[in-house]
Amino acid sequence: MVSRRFFIFSGIAAAGGLAIGYALMPLTTLGRARKIAGKDGATMVTAWVRIGTDNSVTVIVPHSEMGQGVHTSLPMMLAEELDADWSLVRMEQAPADKAFANAALAQGFLRGDKTIPSVLAGTADFSFRKIAEVINLQVTGGSTSVRFTGVEGMRRTGAAARAMLIKAAATSWGVPEAEVIAKQSKLSHASGKTATYGEMAAIAASFDAPADVPLKAKKDYTIVGKPIARFDIPPKVDGTAVYGLDLRLPNLSFAVVAASPVFGGTLKSVDAAPAKAMRGVKQVVKLADAVAVVADNTWRAKEALLALKPVWDDGPNATISSQSIFAAMDAALDAGKFKTDHSTGDADAVLKGAKKIIEATYCVPYLAHATMETVNCTAHFENDKLTVWGGFQDGLGARAAAAKFAGISIDDVSLHHTAMGGGFGRRGSTLNYLKHAIGVARQVQGPVQVVFTREEDMTQDNYRHASVSRMKAALDEKGKVTAWLHQFTEKFDPPEATMVNYDFANQASRYVKGLNPIPWGPWRSVDHTQMGFFIETFVDELAYAAGQDPFAFRRAHLGGAPRHKAVLELAAAMAGWETKPAQGRARGIAIRDAFGTIVAQVAEVSLNADGRVRVHQVWSAVDPGEVINPATFVAQIQGGAIYGLTAALYGEITIDKGRVVQRNFPDYEMVRMADAPQHEVRFIESGARTGGAGEPGTAPIAAAVGNALFALTGKRIRELPFKNFDLNTGNRRS
Amino acid sequence: MVSMTVNGASHAVDVEEGMPLLWVLRDVLNLTGTKYGCGVAACGACTVLVDGVATRSCVFPAASAAGKTITTIEGLKTGGTLHRVQQAWVDAQAPQCGYCQSGQIMAAVALLTEKPKPTDAEIDAAMTNICRCGSYAQIRTAIHAAAKA
């Protein structure tokens, strides 16, 4: 009998062999979910593994691959505990079905695990009340895949399967289980008996999955911690990977869509005739807030769309601009109707009596995701059933959203994952492309691929919000921070992004909300993107105000945070902080604790003649607790830093007359090869709870670069992007 | 009708003269390995070789491809064997999301044809394609490795 506390189950796989997985069904009712929530420490296995009679091991992964490597790192975690021969391990992405919901997340959620980012609230209410909706959650985001599914699910599933295989061999051979050795997908006994996992799989499947199986000690790992080649790479070098835009189906039409350029606007009218007269155009589709041209290929649809002159009702947002938004933020900060973020001691009182007070205001603009593959979705209505294909960070959530958009039951929606040309939050919770695709498909015979051009993608995104922070701190005569006051606009996620790990006495953090009139979405590292810049730049200012070295000042305030201190010291050592950089160069340092991983970065910069920064080298020291696949992790830290560096140097979405001004890469520039610094990454595996990989590298980079610029020029730039300033003079470019 | 040779095969396609080669490849010939990224030759995701020269196909009209020899990512393998640049990409584990990598690989093939042992500065100058995932370090490693292969 399966223990009530555990929901591992087993059975015969369709093609023979062992299938082991988890049952989420008890979570489908609220009452049952509450019962589960009451059992602290209960374990739900969140992944399936199939062991074939051919001895192959197929790990079914309920997360999306965006290049962050989870389609490999999660199987690694399972295979490690299974003691599988890695060469026999395969990967399959789980279907968008509630049987493959992120049960580990749900589990953590039900336990009240505060480390689950609320940004995952794509389709679930992560105020954590609508538990029923958690079953429609299959999110890849918040750097959670390894942290939750891996740690809570993959490891336990692998260990349970291993125990069942051992029991099968022991029973067949008439020997004690303790004498059976499981290694490299083979079972053996001192008597000379051997069998493959595949040979024992069917017998193993007749047993119930054990509830409590000990996990391996790290010292016994043979797969985890090794640089393992990713499963998803071979089809990405020969053109065979099928991204959403690459899907080709019989009778497929192509639609290019244009939504109201003003956020919240609607379509009044459009004369379809100019488009219909063009070659290959099949129809013009009107939606409430958009118009689309359907044609026999993408380019003809795109060209015909340009021939249309849709008339829009701009709605209430036609007058908003970046200036008006920032003015409203300043006014709200002046008005001072704050919500408390966190507070210790009495920062206000200490500031009142303090002799040395430092103040600064920082701001950042909106940012678009600009995934390399523009958002798109292929949809097909047939007999009131809907099929959608595309790249989704939350397949099950997207399926639920599709049902909602189409006004049909989720059971009548099938969703097929394609490869995803970048996610970064764009393909998570804000699914305007899915909505458009369904709206168009409703009016089209046969399947239709609904495409956003780059211009549409950039102007109809869900944006990292613009924000302003006002910082104030008091220093005593020894250079210790005695009060820290942070007042800022907007707060999304994760909640701890505004925390400092320094032992500052008397901290107050407060914010005003409701100042963001355009669509918001999670953007790689979410609130850490701006908070990393604000907090770590201000800490740098405090160091200089205290007359101390920025590294020494930080270290002196990390007495209560040994992991952070060790990471900071490693970054400084890697960079040779104590040595003088070459003539014309300077270094800056910053540290962040994001998604369970601590990253300290040192950046070394110089300026060219026209006052633009060149980042030559970055050194990152990283403590993620443990490293699953070091090759992937290094690439994630480096890539995360590039993403943050693009924002620091170039990233700026501005609003004028309710519209996004920037339309394509020429006016939303990216870091390219020539801009990309050398970047050395080293890890400290402290053994602390496993942290994320995809986002932490983004968080500190803007501050590290800005702090280096100050060290070089003595000019403090308090807003991003740096391209807006002549960095030699610190003056804003006109 | 526009006639061109793509990956060794002759094609005559009935398209408008101004239709960019990118869309001829993707939507007419179903060679979807070449990607759309910006449509304005700014990102390089659509890079193919036209008579051996790295070309941003999203702004290259079909008419200009007439009589030309086009090589796309699908045409790099010989038999079932990866081109040395593709192999170097696998060895360096360069792709992340992978979407830009067809264009990156085609640009690197062209670079290595012109400069068999490129310096870092030459790589910086030639490799102007955008990778939003930030895989530049791995791409650089792969190019140097392919140069030695």
Side-chain angles (χ1 to χ4, degrees):
Chain A
M1 196 192 93
V2 177
S3 157
R4 277 196 307 134
R5 286 173 57 225
F6 299 90
F7 299 97
I8 303 170
F9 73 83
S10 56
I12 305 290
L18 172 69
I20 173 164
Y22 67 94
L24 189 64
M25 295 315 287
L27 259 182
T28 56
T29 61
L30 190 58
R32 180 68 184 173
R34 284 190 175 138
K35 262 191 213 166
I36 295 161
K39 297 186 196 302
D40 197 22
T43 304
M44 250 183 287
V45 174
T46 63
W48 282 47
V49 55
R50 285 196 317 255
I51 299 174
T53 47
D54 62 353
N55 211 20
S56 66
V57 171
T58 304
V59 180
I60 301 171
V61 177
H63 286 282
S64 299
E65 179 63 69
M66 305 183 277
Q68 81 283 38
V70 287
H71 277 186
T72 309
S73 46
L74 290 175
M76 285 169 70
M77 295 173 86
L78 189 144
E80 181 67 67
E81 295 295 339
L82 182 60
D83 273 312
D85 175 347
W86 180 253
S87 68
L88 302 173
V89 176
R90 314 277 178 267
M91 191 287 309
E92 232 176 73
Q93 182 166 1
D97 187 274
K98 65 187 172 191
F100 294 95
N102 288 159
L105 270 177
Q107 169 80 356
F109 164 45
L110 294 168
R111 286 203 294 261
D113 190 329
K114 294 285 192 293
T115 62
I116 294 177
S118 59
V119 69
L120 300 183
T123 53
D125 177 355
F126 265 67
S127 63
F128 290 72
R129 290 189 187 89
K130 293 186 190 168
I131 289 174
E133 289 189 13
V134 176
I135 63 159
N136 283 338
L137 188 70
Q138 203 176 42
V139 167
T140 304
S143 299
T144 55
S145 309
V146 165
R147 288 201 287 155
F148 292 93
T149 305
V151 171
E152 302 267 344
M154 289 291 168
R155 284 192 169 143
R156 291 181 195 285
T157 308
R162 181 178 180 277
M164 292 157 75
L165 289 161
I166 286 174
K167 189 175 177 184
T171 310
S172 307
W173 300 337
V175 302
E177 283 178 40
E179 291 178 9
V180 176
I181 294 165
K183 206 175 170 187
Q184 288 279 38
S185 293
K186 282 200 188 86
L187 298 148
S188 61
H189 183 256
S191 61
K193 288 191 179 356
T194 61
T196 66
Y197 283 4
E199 286 161 352
M200 283 295 166
I203 301 168
S206 66
F207 305 126
D208 288 330
D212 284 311
V213 188
L215 300 179
K216 272 187 182 175
K218 185 177 165 61
K219 64 175 174 54
D220 298 325
Y221 285 175
T222 59
I223 298 168
V224 167
K226 306 278 185 296
I228 300 266
R230 278 172 30 218
F231 288 127
D232 58 307
I233 284 186
K236 291 175 175 177
V237 303
D238 66 3
T240 57
V242 177
Y243 296 84
L245 288 174
D246 301 336
L247 191 77
R248 295 293 177 265
L249 300 166
N251 306 315
L252 180 67
S253 299
F254 297 85
V256 175
V257 66
S260 162
V262 176
F263 293 109
T266 51
L267 180 67
K268 261 193 201 161
S269 63
V270 62
D271 174 12
K276 280 187 168 166
M278 293 171 73
R279 184 177 172 188
V281 172
K282 297 179 176 178
Q283 65 191 98
V284 172
V285 171
K286 293 180 208 172
L287 302 173
D289 59 348
V291 59
V293 173
V294 185
D296 60 356
N297 71 46
T298 316
W299 181 72
R300 284 174 183 152
K302 186 175 171 225
E303 291 297 292
L305 186 66
L306 291 174
L308 295 180
K309 306 245 175 308
V311 181
W312 306 104
D313 178 343
D314 288 342
N317 288 326
T319 58
I320 61 168
S321 65
S322 288
Q323 289 87 338
S324 72
I325 293 166
F326 278 115
M329 289 181 189
D330 287 335
L333 289 170
D334 288 342
K337 286 183 185 155
F338 293 109
K339 286 176 190 291
T340 296
D341 179 27
H342 63 263
S343 175
T344 56
D346 192 342
D348 296 289
V350 175
L351 281 164
K352 245 175 223 161
K355 286 198 186 119
K356 189 165 189 178
I357 291 176
I358 295 91
E359 284 184 83
T361 298
Y362 303 88
C363 68
V364 293
Y366 289 104
L367 295 173
H369 295 82
T371 56
M372 285 311 296
E373 181 196 16
T374 60
V375 291
N376 65 88
C377 177
T378 299
H380 185 200
F381 271 103
E382 208 173 18
N383 305 325
D384 293 327
K385 301 218 189 275
L386 172 64
T387 309
V388 296
W389 296 260
F392 301 102
Q393 286 176 242
D394 175 2
L396 186 53
R399 189 174 152 216
K404 212 169 175 182
F405 293 144
I408 59 179
S409 157
I410 191 169
D411 297 330
D412 291 329
V413 179
S414 324
L415 182 141
H416 302 282
H417 284 284
T418 62
M420 201 186 316
F424 316 120
R426 178 65 180 99
R427 291 182 157 94
S429 53
T430 309
L431 297 166
N432 56 347
Y433 57 102
L434 174 66
K435 189 177 179 187
H436 286 332
I438 289 168
V440 172
R442 270 273 189 221
Q443 302 181 46
V444 169
Q445 284 289 321
V448 57
Q449 187 165 102
V450 177
V451 177
F452 277 37
T453 61
R454 174 58 61 195
E455 290 80 7
E456 190 72 2
D457 183 274
M458 197 165 284
T459 56
Q460 299 289 334
D461 198 348
N462 42 297
Y463 301 84
R464 197 292 304 274
H465 58 292
S467 137
V468 177
S469 270
R470 293 181 182 174
M471 306 280 210
K472 199 169 179 180
L475 286 170
D476 68 14
E477 60 282 0
K478 289 179 190 148
K480 288 291 278 185
V481 176
T482 54
W484 169 270
L485 176 63
H486 184 191
Q487 302 184 139
F488 59 97
T489 60
E490 298 296 353
K491 181 173 174 69
F492 291 96
D493 198 78
E496 71 275 12
T498 50
M499 302 290 281
V500 293
N501 300 101
Y502 303 106
D503 56 3
F504 299 158
N506 303 299
Q507 296 184 27
S509 179
R510 35 182 99 116
Y511 62 102
V512 283
K513 259 194 98 75
L515 298 161
N516 177 52
I518 74 167
W520 177 87
W523 191 97
R524 195 173 190 171
S525 98
V526 207
D527 280 358
H528 285 287
T529 59
Q530 74 276 13
M531 288 303 163
F533 174 63
F534 297 158
I535 292 171
E536 278 297 294
T537 308
F538 190 55
V539 169
D540 217 65
E541 300 209 43
L542 298 181
Y544 282 93
Q548 293 182 23
D549 171 82
F551 161 63
F553 179 83
R554 284 177 172 82
R555 186 174 51 181
H557 284 92
L558 284 172
R563 285 179 67 205
H564 298 76
K565 195 172 169 190
V567 167
L568 188 80
E569 286 172 347
L570 176 59
M574 288 165 69
W577 184 263
E578 306 300 335
T579 66
K580 220 173 135 61
Q583 182 67 26
R585 294 193 185 187
R587 300 186 195 116
I589 192 164
I591 182 169
R592 289 302 287 167
D593 182 343
F595 305 95
T597 294
I598 305 165
V599 182
Q601 289 173 338
V602 175
E604 184 170 306
V605 309
S606 69
L607 286 185
N608 63 19
D610 67 346
R612 292 182 196 280
V613 63
R614 171 87 175 92
V615 183
H616 297 273
Q617 172 83 45
V618 176
W619 295 269
S620 286
V622 184
D623 178 3
E626 66 172 332
V627 174
I628 308 301
N629 190 345
T632 301
F633 211 135
V634 167
Q636 284 305 299
I637 294 295
Q638 293 172 331
I642 297 278
Y643 207 80
L645 189 59
T646 285
L649 302 189
Y650 304 119
E652 185 176 38
I653 289 289
T654 51
I655 310 297
D656 185 41
K657 299 186 177 73
R659 300 159 166 83
V660 168
V661 174
Q662 292 72 22
R663 301 181 56 77
N664 204 322
F665 292 123
D667 47 17
Y668 191 68
E669 188 49 89
M670 301 280 131
V671 165
R672 300 173 192 241
M673 180 72 83
D675 274 343
Q678 299 281 314
H679 189 162
E680 185 191 348
V681 179
R682 283 195 219 164
F683 296 103
I684 296 173
E685 294 195 65
S686 63
R689 185 177 175 152
T690 311
E695 299 174 278
T698 308
I701 190 70
V705 170
N707 295 341
L709 282 168
F710 180 79
L712 186 66
T713 66
K715 310 286 180 197
R716 185 65 74 175
I717 308 298
R718 298 190 178 89
E719 67 176 84
L720 298 180
F722 294 131
K723 71 161 183 174
N724 289 344
F725 297 86
D726 179 333
L727 299 168
N728 280 309
T729 62
N731 295 331
R732 178 175 268 282
R733 294 180 193 276
S734 49
Chain B
M1 281 292 184
V2 181
S3 298
M4 61 184 88
T5 303
V6 181
N7 300 333
S10 304
H11 294 276
V13 290
D14 176 19
V15 298
E16 297 86 326
E17 291 197 338
M19 184 166 166
L21 176 60
L22 168 67
W23 299 110
V24 176
L25 294 170
R26 288 184 54 80
D27 288 4
V28 180
L29 301 178
N30 282 332
L31 291 169
T32 55
T34 303
K35 306 302 186 195
Y36 166 72
C38 68
V40 296
C43 78
C46 64
T47 304
V48 298
L49 304 183
V50 177
D51 288 346
V53 178
T55 302
R56 294 193 171 172
S57 64
C58 72
V59 294
F60 192 78
S64 303
K68 298 283 204 294
T69 297
I70 317 293
T71 307
T72 72
I73 189 74
E74 291 93 341
L76 279 189
K77 277 187 191 172
T78 330
T81 310
L82 292 178
H83 187 281
R84 69 192 162 100
V85 173
Q86 291 173 305
Q87 187 59 52
W89 245 248
V90 173
D91 295 343
Q93 295 280 291
Q96 290 187 29
C97 89
Y99 191 79
C100 74
Q101 300 294 351
S102 297
Q104 302 276 9
I105 289 168
M106 299 314 288
V109 168
L111 166 64
L112 289 164
T113 305
E114 208 179 308
K115 297 192 170 79
K117 306 275 176 206
T119 62
D120 279 335
E122 286 166 343
I123 291 172
D124 285 348
M127 299 297 294
T128 57
N129 296 16
I130 296 171
C131 172
R132 190 64 167 133
C133 300
S135 66
Y136 300 116
Q138 289 73 23
I139 290 174
R140 189 187 298 280
T141 300
I143 291 172
H144 285 309
K148 285 184 197 136

